[in-house]
Amino acid sequence: MSGAEPSAGARPAASSKRELPSVRHIIDRTPRKFDVTTLPADMLRVYQSLEAKFGEEYGLLFLFQMRTAMELHRAWHMTLLTSKILQTTKDKFNLRMTWNLGVIRLKFRVEDGGFELHRRVPYDYDSEYQDLYMRVSEALCAGHISVHEALIFQSEIKKGLHTAKSGLFLRDFPGRLILYPFLASTCAVIFFGGQWRDAGVAAICGVAAGVAEYILSTVGGEAKILIDVFAGFLTGVVGGLFYRFDGATYCLSAIFLGNLYWFFYGTAFVIGILEIIAGELETGVTRFMAVSIKTFVLSLMASLGMLATLPNPATVWVEQNQNCGLINLDAHWWRIPLYLACSMAALGQYRFRVVEYWRGLAVQLVGYEVQYKVTKFFEERKESERDYLDTMASNILGAATAVVTACIIAYVVDNVQKRYYSQLLQRGTHRDETSSKLDDCLYGTLTTKIRLFRCLRIGRKLESDKLVLEKKLRKQRLELDDPNNPLSSIHLNKEEENLLLDTIVNAESMNIWAMLMPTVYQLVPGSVIAKLWFNTIFPPEIKEVERTIVGTNYTYTTIEKDTLQDSVFSNLMVIATSLALGLIIGFAVVQSYNNIFTTLAWWETDEVKEGRQRQQNMRTGMYTMAKDDNDDPETEAEKLSIIEEEARGDNGGKGTAMRDEEEPKEVTQQGID
């Protein structure tokens, strides 16, 4: 099996042990078997048929592909990157499998359409799960774990066995309820011009909307379709009641948009444009229209809530504008701390690991500050208010710098953790055997962080247990190196083997999109588009414009609409498209730098360059379609012609005859693998 780990056989010589890349090669690990009876009936039928025809591993790899696609699609709905991950696994193991990742419906075909399975995967966002599922796929393709271990690990992820208690608390109800008022109140002030009293009402609306979603989700089934209906309506009712009976001093747009921010899939607008640019037209257009309609439903229900509580909602919507934008954020020191508080709530919504909040906050802050400063710059210098150049420039630069920041953080973290996990897995030279203090410093810093987070009850117990396991592995590794010691392999109990598997998976490179996705969510933001829908429901006031007759001192007055407030689709396209272009530009900058650096870095080994190339290929999946040879396959005659031309070129035009000095090369099983 390609992904299987070799067990320890006869005891090797001491000199050969030091050349082993990792201690996992000399651990006598218990073989694991994935229980296929836990599968749905249709997947089990397909597996049994594939197993009978092509063997167990082939059938299990199909299961792994399908489960990976479903969970990644559920966790981020990034079809481009999901397809890239699936294509990598398909090419690695030569699977005869295709898929169609729609907005909601997924189709999987295997063996030239001999089997076809469908799944319906609803919208959700989960940074931690998407990161783990991608790491499992990378570990399998690298041969670090077997397909049985990969499938078992996937099952454990869904059970929450690899998630900290802090993550489990915020992952689902009722703990998740604390995020709704937190996000609503901070968004109302930092994004939508609200005051602190508006933040308080938005928090109350957040509690009402959160409880409604909790109840409807618990009921399940068809009741879930009413979540947006109740969330929007309750927001309108609560905001309308406060406006009517508490002095009409509230900014309703800030309250509504701040609370409904949770339900607006702002990221999906950008992903839809990315898919269209990449060529996934059907999925991109469908996603774009679906999210636009979802946003309109929420806005419409909030308006109906106003209608139920206010005698003149249209008039109130116009009057409440005078209560908005009264706080000059530039003049207050707490603008950035408030934004970071809002960002923490967004990270909780996206189920980001609590111990890794600093990464997400760093990317969010850079993107926000660039977007904010560029917007202010153009507001001060531009002469016309009838264009969207400031929005376009700020979004492109904000998104591009966020991408570059995320890639830099990923590069630094991966390199630091590579040294850390090398110590845990006994790869290479141990820190006690070198004179350099760098490994000691890094290992000490990370272990201190782990113990601190564990003390604060926000870290995983598994991370603390790994420190104990590292000492045991180190001790037994030294005993193996001692020729006078009879120990022939390292033995671990079941819990320690589970811990080792978790260590191997988490030693893979981190998922950049998992870190970048919450930033894109806040850069849109989706609520800006909802504000435009409110302008459709409550048309802007007619403006009186005084104009001068050319060549005279006479003036006349015209009546016209506020085109900037009225052009919903124009704003929508500028915001979403500019952010999508910013992401593409950001990744293009990173890719270009990597290409130049790889070319100039003569001191690096081929292994290091190949690793960087793998990561670069994965990044292209965030804005381009995955390439499959079967999309436009060559005929057998064309393949034969290419082989003959290459052979003639290799032999200096002498055809396919073997040169006299060449000897036949022995084809070993190792070479085939």
Side-chain angles (χ1 to χ4, degrees), residues 450-585:
I450 289 171
R451 293 189 177 98
L452 174 61
F453 286 151
R454 182 61 186 159
C455 182
L456 296 175
R457 304 296 181 185
I458 60 176
R460 297 194 308 162
K461 182 178 182 298
L462 292 175
E463 299 300 332
S464 300
D465 294 340
K466 289 176 185 177
L467 303 180
V468 178
L469 178 63
E470 188 269 342
K471 295 179 180 179
K472 177 177 180 179
L473 293 176
R474 173 61 176 164
K475 180 176 180 295
Q476 294 197 23
R477 183 64 180 265
L478 292 176
E479 292 176 354
L480 277 173
D481 288 340
D482 185 0
N484 299 321
N485 194 300
L487 188 66
S488 61
S489 64
I490 295 178
H491 299 277
L492 302 177
N493 58 38
K494 183 178 180 180
E495 290 74 18
E496 291 171 336
E497 287 189 1
N498 292 336
L499 197 59
L500 179 66
L501 182 60
D502 181 272
T503 305
I504 293 173
V505 171
N506 281 281
E508 301 297 330
S509 299
M510 66 182 299
N511 187 325
I512 294 177
W513 182 251
M515 178 171 51
L516 186 61
M517 185 171 59
T519 303
V520 177
Y521 171 63
Q522 287 194 289
L523 286 177
V524 176
S527 300
V528 170
I529 295 155
K531 190 173 184 179
L532 305 175
W533 286 128
F534 276 116
N535 288 338
T536 301
I537 300 170
F538 303 111
E541 288 184 300
I542 301 298
K543 297 194 304 183
E544 292 186 358
V545 180
E546 187 176 280
R547 302 184 184 279
T548 302
I549 300 176
V550 179
T552 69
N553 294 327
Y554 297 102
T555 62
Y556 65 96
T557 301
T558 62
I559 298 176
E560 58 185 45
K561 288 184 177 181
D562 187 342
T563 55
L564 288 180
Q565 296 293 328
D566 193 50
S567 53
V568 176
F569 188 72
S570 299
N571 281 270
L572 182 67
M573 292 304 298
V574 169
I575 293 172
T577 305
S578 58
L579 282 171
L581 290 175
L583 293 177
I584 293 175
I585 292 172

Side-chain angles (χ1 to χ4, degrees), residues 302-314:
S303 303
L304 290 177
M306 290 179 62
L307 181 63
T309 55
L310 295 170
N312 52 347

Side-chain angles (χ1 to χ4, degrees), residues 651-672:
N651 295 327
K654 297 180 181 179
T656 58
M658 185 176 297
R659 296 179 181 177
D660 295 336
E661 66 272 15
E662 292 181 345
E663 296 182 359
K665 295 182 179 179
E666 179 182 358
V667 180
T668 63
Q669 182 65 34
Q670 181 180 2
I672 294 176

Side-chain angles (χ1 to χ4, degrees), residues 169-222:
F169 178 75
L170 297 176
R171 174 168 296 283
D172 210 344
F173 296 108
R176 198 161 176 78
L177 283 174
I178 67 172
L179 296 173
Y180 287 77
F182 193 13
L183 184 68
S185 58
T186 52
C187 282
V189 178
I190 197 66
F191 287 141
F192 306 115
Q195 302 179 73
W196 294 115
R197 58 190 296 114
D198 301 317
V201 177
I204 297 174
C205 292
V207 173
V211 171
E213 183 172 5
Y214 181 19
I215 294 173
L216 293 173
S217 299
T218 303
V219 173
E222 297 177 354

Side-chain angles (χ1 to χ4, degrees), residues 64 126 155 183 268 374 412 417 419 450 479 508-509 570 621:
F64 177 81
D126 197 319
S155 300
L183 184 68
V374 172
V412 174
Q417 290 193 339
R419 289 178 174 270
I450 289 171
E479 292 176 354
E508 301 297 330
S509 299
S570 299

